[in-house]
Amino acid sequence: MTKFEYAPAPESRAIVDIKPSYGLFIDGDFVDGHGKSFKTISPSTEEVLAEIAEADDADVDLAVKAARRAYTRVWSKMSGAERGKYLFRIARIIQERAREFAVLESIDNGKPIKETRDVDVPIVAAHFFYYAGWADKLSYAGYGPDPQPLGVAGQVIPWNFPLLMLAWKIAPALACGNTVVLKPAETTPLTALLFAEVCQQADLPPGVVNIVTGAGETGRAIVSHPGVDKVAFTGSTDVGRAIAKAVAGSNKRVTLELGGKAANIVFDDAPVDQAVEGIVNGIFFNQGHVCCAGSRLLVQESVAEEVLAKLKRRMKTLRVGDPLDKNTDVGAINSAEQLAKIRELSEIGEAEGAERWSPKCDLPQNGFWFPPTIFTGVSQAHRIAREEIFGPVLSVLTFRTPKEAVEKANNTPFGLSAGIWTDKGSRILWMASQLRAGVVWSNTFNKFDPASPFGGYKESGYGREGGRHGLEAYLR
Amino acid sequence: MSPSSTTQRLDVKKTYKLYIDGQFPRSESGRSYVVNDSKGKFLANASQASRKDARDAVRAARAAFGGWSGRTAYNRGQVIYRIAEVLEGRRDQFEAELRAAEGISAAMARKFVDASIDRLVFYAGWADKVAQVVGGANPVAGPYFNHSAPEPSGVVAIVAPDRPLMGLISVVAPVITTGNTCVVIASEKYPLPAITLGEVMATSDLPGGVVNVLTGSVAEIAPWLASHLDVNGIDLTGVEDAELAADLEVSAAENLKRVRRPGLEDLVAPPPLDRMTKFLETKTVWHPMGI
């Protein structure tokens, strides 16, 4: 099967106005930082997009103090209904500026416009809309008759869903009456800084949301700042461990949403074409830069050949390239560093004896690219079956019985998500009960919704984001 | 009683051992420590558990987890209620043990024993309610069935507070009610009632390994449990030394254990919900709706 020839259908960049440099958003204004600066680039072209301030300890201190003032003087005193109205405003402005956010996210992150336009940004708006409605109903949430906010939340988010992770952090925090200091990832700061403009347009009181840009050092300064009452982090398990250690013995509350190595389990009675779509969505959505990606395919031995043949055929139709092209399925790898990690683990996969396959795929000259890849003949001991690759790389294993599938699926220190493909209802429910994972997608994969709690078991972290459960992290 | 008296019978004293995997082994280390009553008079030698005992206990708790968490919530509630029933039948014994250990009045001891029994009954009733209280259906914006339900975290290590019976039951019952299994370090000062409670649990249809009781030095045993990679959560309620608590939390971070930090708590007051929810995971299941 060959690809149809598509004419390029690029989304216009004209809608975004990227400034040459950005300061920090503290106390309602953009201010110059005291520290150095760094560049954010487009991972699909390596073009420098803007110069970004790197917040140092003094900047973080200013941001935390601004958040504390806003908390004490304004936000904690405001009625829930009024807080909610600010969040509704923010949701509406995001909807109004959705195209701008989608294009900017795609440029800065490298993910396809199809995804930012249809997944990231709509869910961001929905998330603010959802939590806006909770702000005046917290006493019904099951956390006591008069739940109280915690104070200042320090939030550190990753580069894979920059704006969406911002929404997951800020919306529930504000709804519950907390103020925030948020650090976007160093490779993807632009949509968070555009969100700061949204806060201004919404007349959000100064200091309620503070955005400080920077890398690991800035994150550490936030986490260890004594004025921070709550730490929320999404990112790697290693950094999550370090954060859990850093807050030990303190009164800081913590939620961690960390790595994963999800099993996507296909039984012999599964609707194969749907399952193949689910496998593709599970691992190639967002270039596989997804903590809950279905990165281990467990396929029942009797249908392995058929599933793999169909999977390969489907992979040949994936369009890899310009993120702003509306036909693009797989965009750019977010950074040179991440690309190096994906390459390294893939080479280890080959060296350990697994068989590597990618469709023939013309990759652009500039930028960071990795073709959709599968490994067959993978055993549970292989590093590509155990470690999170965080790229478009699928490890394929087989099983014979449901019990074996459960054992293999659970044989990981992670426990974020899992997928089940079968036509048999009772098997779905039994499998779902056996899998040690926080989100189980049956006959679907990678679905997200503001009303649906998300988070992991075991070393995938603790706490839930989304839904009524997501309020718990921000209330006492 | 004096052995010289011909009319008085010599007491048969109990050997206090550990409670691991439904059995009562001595510490593999062969160590014991002296437990005195409130006036300093010798009561008994308690086993002084070692690192190896802690690891044996974790292995037993892990082995018991699948079966215990796989039981129906109704059945777990029945078993917890059964512990209350058996404890009710031993009120006098525990009253005497508490008085001996703590030097408290008969009325006070009776109050703690009764409150302990009532606390078990309270949690017995929770077993098949907690999923409805903390779980639920999620109205997602699409044609999907979506619901969230709590599941136990797994093996939980517990440092019990220094209230011999009430303290132990207050920390253990909420953890096992929801399907976790546990390894609990009993009050270092008052270990004896904890082992006697082990006898109650051993005869209450509670499967071996669901609750494992260690006696000995908290400072010695707790770090092994905090750093054990097959332990999913740790309850530090009974850790009084703030520095030790912080160290244990650091060790626990290695495999992202769920940590319940120590803090002042009136154990007799109605317990906070987070005694259960701290060691519960929320599982969310999606399925498309269609024909």
Side-chain angles (χ1 to χ4, degrees):
Chain A
M1 187 170 165
T2 53
K3 252 185 272 195
F4 287 111
E5 288 305 321
Y6 275 56
E11 177 75 38
S12 168
R13 281 179 67 149
I15 196 166
V16 301
D17 171 25
I18 303 177
K19 299 179 184 66
S21 68
Y22 288 86
L24 310 168
F25 183 66
I26 296 177
D27 213 10
D29 280 313
F30 282 95
V31 296
D32 293 334
H34 296 89
K36 294 173 292 195
S37 66
F38 60 98
K39 294 176 171 58
T40 183
I41 64 171
S42 157
S44 61
T45 60
E46 299 176 60
E47 161 203 358
V48 173
L49 297 170
E51 193 84 25
I52 309 290
E54 184 175 337
D56 67 5
D57 289 4
D59 297 319
V60 167
D61 187 52
L62 286 175
V64 172
K65 284 180 174 145
R68 174 64 57 192
R69 274 196 306 278
Y71 174 73
T72 341
R73 295 183 190 165
V74 186
W75 201 244
S76 64
K77 289 186 177 154
M78 193 182 290
S79 72
E82 294 299 302
R83 284 201 312 271
K85 279 157 70 182
Y86 277 109
L87 291 172
F88 280 124
R89 267 193 195 179
I90 289 172
R92 280 298 199 229
I93 296 172
I94 290 168
Q95 288 175 324
E96 286 157 12
R97 302 180 70 172
R99 184 58 57 96
E100 191 182 348
F101 271 111
V103 172
L104 186 62
E105 191 81 301
S106 191
I107 293 172
D108 200 20
N109 169 281
K111 64 170 75 188
I113 184 74
K114 192 165 79 173
E115 291 177 10
T116 57
R117 183 194 63 200
D118 298 346
V119 181
D120 297 59
V121 178
I123 301 182
V124 168
H127 215 82
F128 278 100
F129 210 89
Y130 177 83
Y131 279 106
W134 266 122
D136 58 353
K137 300 166 193 69
L138 298 174
S139 57
Y140 298 96
Y143 302 109
D146 187 23
Q148 296 298 313
L150 304 174
V152 175
Q155 308 178 316
V156 178
I157 59 171
W159 46 260
N160 58 341
F161 293 94
L163 190 67
L164 183 57
M165 292 300 104
L166 173 147
W168 283 22
K169 294 286 178 287
I170 293 183
L174 263 51
C176 293
N178 305 275
T179 57
V180 307
V181 175
L182 176 133
K183 186 191 88 64
E186 63 269 34
T187 61
T188 55
L190 293 183
T191 47
L193 294 165
L194 185 59
F195 176 80
E197 261 182 47
V198 171
C199 295
Q200 290 178 325
Q201 287 188 337
D203 276 329
L204 189 72
V208 172
V209 168
N210 303 274
I211 311 276
V212 291
T213 41
E217 277 307 313
T218 309
R220 263 188 287 275
I222 295 172
V223 168
S224 58
H225 195 291
V228 165
D229 302 296
K230 194 249 154 23
V231 174
F233 172 76
T234 296
S236 74
T237 291
D238 282 343
V239 175
R241 258 191 266 279
I243 290 174
K245 287 177 185 172
V247 301
S250 76
N251 288 323
K252 287 176 188 169
R253 293 256 300 263
V254 195
T255 42
L256 301 170
E257 202 271 272
L258 309 175
K261 192 74 191 176
N264 202 357
I265 305 163
V266 179
F267 284 94
D268 58 6
D269 65 341
V272 175
D273 292 334
Q274 282 176 41
V276 166
E277 284 309 304
I279 296 164
V280 167
N281 176 42
I283 187 62
F284 302 125
F285 171 65
N286 203 36
Q287 298 72 247
H289 299 329
V290 185
C291 44
C292 53
S295 53
R296 282 185 299 153
L297 173 63
L298 298 184
V299 57
Q300 199 155 20
E301 210 172 80
S302 50
V303 290
E305 217 169 298
E306 182 194 356
V307 169
L308 279 173
K310 287 193 168 174
L311 175 61
K312 286 179 177 176
R313 194 177 68 178
R314 177 68 179 87
M315 284 170 68
K316 286 176 189 165
T317 68
L318 290 173
R319 287 160 200 284
V320 185
D322 181 9
L324 282 181
D325 191 315
K326 284 173 266 194
N327 295 320
T328 294
D329 296 306
V330 180
I333 301 303
N334 182 255
S335 65
E337 190 190 352
Q338 187 58 29
L339 180 60
K341 194 186 148 197
I342 297 168
R343 283 183 175 154
E344 187 198 345
L345 272 163
S346 298
E347 280 156 22
I348 289 168
E350 278 184 291
E352 289 188 336
E355 193 182 323
R356 176 175 180 165
W357 184 88
S358 291
K360 207 167 84 56
C361 193
D362 295 328
L363 300 176
Q365 284 300 309
N366 295 324
F368 316 124
W369 304 93
F370 199 89
T373 299
I374 58 174
F375 278 96
T376 49
V378 178
S379 85
Q380 294 188 82
H382 285 162
R383 281 182 64 188
I384 53 169
R386 309 196 66 79
E387 295 177 28
E388 188 175 38
I389 300 173
F390 222 64
V393 181
L394 178 68
S395 299
V396 183
L397 296 90
T398 59
F399 68 92
R400 290 183 180 175
T401 63
K403 195 162 166 281
E404 187 188 348
V406 166
E407 273 171 22
K408 285 185 168 169
N410 287 340
N411 183 14
T412 165
F414 296 115
L416 190 49
S417 66
I420 308 163
W421 297 85
T422 170
D423 227 13
K424 194 173 174 187
S426 60
R427 180 182 287 156
I428 289 171
L429 295 175
W430 182 80
M431 288 292 295
S433 76
Q434 298 298 304
L435 294 168
R436 303 287 291 161
V439 184
V440 177
W441 286 294
S442 29
N443 292 326
T444 184
F445 209 93
N446 271 346
K447 291 285 178 288
F448 308 93
D449 191 280
S452 179
F454 183 92
Y457 282 37
K458 302 192 283 185
E459 294 186 26
S460 290
Y462 35 74
R464 290 294 177 269
E465 293 182 295
R468 183 188 68 77
H469 294 76
L471 297 168
E472 187 180 7
Y474 294 97
L475 291 173
R476 63 184 151 87
Chain B
M1 298 299 129
S2 162
S4 59
S5 159
T6 51
T7 57
Q8 293 286 350
R9 175 180 170 272
L10 182 69
D11 286 354
V12 178
K13 295 241 185 192
K14 182 158 84 187
T15 307
Y16 288 87
K17 298 188 282 188
L18 306 174
Y19 179 53
I20 298 175
D21 203 13
Q23 312 287 314
F24 293 90
R26 288 191 175 82
S27 169
E28 64 78 36
S29 66
R31 299 177 305 173
S32 63
Y33 69 108
V34 171
V35 180
N36 292 328
D37 69 11
S38 60
K39 296 196 178 69
K41 189 168 161 282
F42 175 78
L43 274 178
N45 293 307
S47 285
Q48 190 173 349
S50 65
R51 174 190 186 184
K52 175 79 162 60
D53 295 318
R55 290 163 66 160
D56 288 347
V58 170
R59 194 186 314 131
R62 174 59 64 194
F65 177 67
W68 181 241
S69 62
R71 291 197 180 199
T72 64
Y74 174 63
N75 183 255
R76 280 200 304 273
Q78 297 256 304
V79 173
I80 308 283
Y81 188 79
R82 179 74 182 153
I83 303 174
E85 286 179 343
V86 176
L87 188 54
E88 178 88 12
R90 297 227 217 169
R91 284 165 88 208
D92 294 344
Q93 180 188 7
F94 276 95
E95 186 189 314
E97 285 208 24
L98 293 192
R99 291 187 67 188
E102 296 184 282
I104 53 178
S105 69
M108 187 68 88
R110 174 54 49 115
K111 187 184 134 195
F112 282 128
V113 173
D114 289 353
S116 300
I117 296 166
D118 292 352
R119 182 59 51 89
L120 284 164
V121 172
F122 171 77
Y123 281 114
W126 260 118
D128 53 5
K129 320 286 185 298
V130 68
Q132 287 179 317
V133 170
V134 306
N138 307 310
V140 295
Y144 294 92
F145 162 85
N146 179 304
H147 92 290
S148 294
E151 287 191 349
S153 299
V155 174
V156 178
I158 304 172
V159 181
D162 262 342
R163 297 241 63 99
L165 183 65
M166 188 65 192
L168 195 77
I169 284 174
S170 295
V171 292
V172 168
V175 165
I176 64 169
T177 293
T178 57
N180 293 292
T181 57
C182 73
V183 177
V184 58
I185 307 176
S187 158
E188 192 169 336
K189 214 161 137 195
Y190 309 118
L192 306 184
I195 295 304
T196 307
L197 185 67
E199 295 166 8
V200 170
M201 293 187 285
T203 52
S204 301
D205 303 329
L206 186 73
V210 172
V211 176
N212 302 276
V213 184
L214 302 176
T215 55
S217 158
V218 169
E220 181 193 348
I221 312 165
W224 297 120
L225 294 172
S227 64
H228 198 301
L229 292 184
D230 207 20
V231 172
N232 301 97
I234 187 162
D235 177 357
L236 303 176
T237 299
V239 181
E240 283 166 10
D241 174 355
E243 206 174 312
L244 175 63
D247 287 348
L248 294 172
E249 197 178 337
V250 169
S251 298
E254 202 49 45
N255 66 336
L256 282 315
K257 287 181 186 69
R258 286 76 178 117
V259 178
R260 195 176 191 282
R261 290 179 178 147
L264 287 176
E265 186 179 319
D266 175 5
L267 291 172
V268 183
L273 196 66
D274 87 316
R275 286 233 159 263
M276 286 188 291
T277 56
K278 191 78 204 179
F279 303 108
L280 287 175
E281 311 293 324
T282 297
K283 178 181 280 176
T284 299
V285 181
W286 292 69
H287 196 279
M289 285 192 282
I291 45 171

